[in-house]
Amino acid sequence: PASAVQISARAYEAARAARGETHPDTLMAAANQVLDLAATGSAGAADSLRQQALEQIRSTLGTDHPMLTSINEQIRIECPVEPPSA
């Protein structure tokens, strides 16, 4: 779990830097990091990021988006990874 949280943190930060706070890729990475944070016992950080992700998904993608179900049911979201082009 400790390695997973480091990897998901890097993925989340990279998505934020490349795509912005509300891009679907960023939101998927945030949702997955929530699961890793919770697995390492970082409940406070996990809950804070979860609430932030839920709010951004609702406002950006709508209140019926499938990502909301995945987050609420604590299901990891499969997201494509595109390697840097340079």
Side-chain angles (χ1 to χ4, degrees):
S3 294
V5 80
Q6 291 173 353
I7 292 168
S8 66
R10 285 195 311 260
Y12 177 52
E13 291 305 318
R16 287 175 65 198
R19 311 250 175 168
E21 294 286 332
T22 58
H23 190 279
D25 290 349
T26 305
L27 298 172
M28 284 187 280
N32 289 338
Q33 187 181 17
V34 166
L35 297 177
D36 295 332
L37 287 167
T40 61
S42 299
D47 188 53
S48 177
L49 184 56
R50 180 180 182 276
Q51 292 306 317
Q52 177 185 336
L54 287 170
E55 289 174 21
Q56 289 175 331
I57 291 166
R58 286 184 193 112
S59 67
T60 305
L61 304 174
T63 57
D64 60 347
H65 196 277
M67 241 193 284
L68 293 170
T69 302
S70 295
I71 292 171
N72 287 327
E73 294 180 6
Q74 299 180 0
I75 297 170
R76 188 169 298 278
I77 301 171
E78 185 176 333
C79 49
V81 176
E82 186 174 322
S85 60

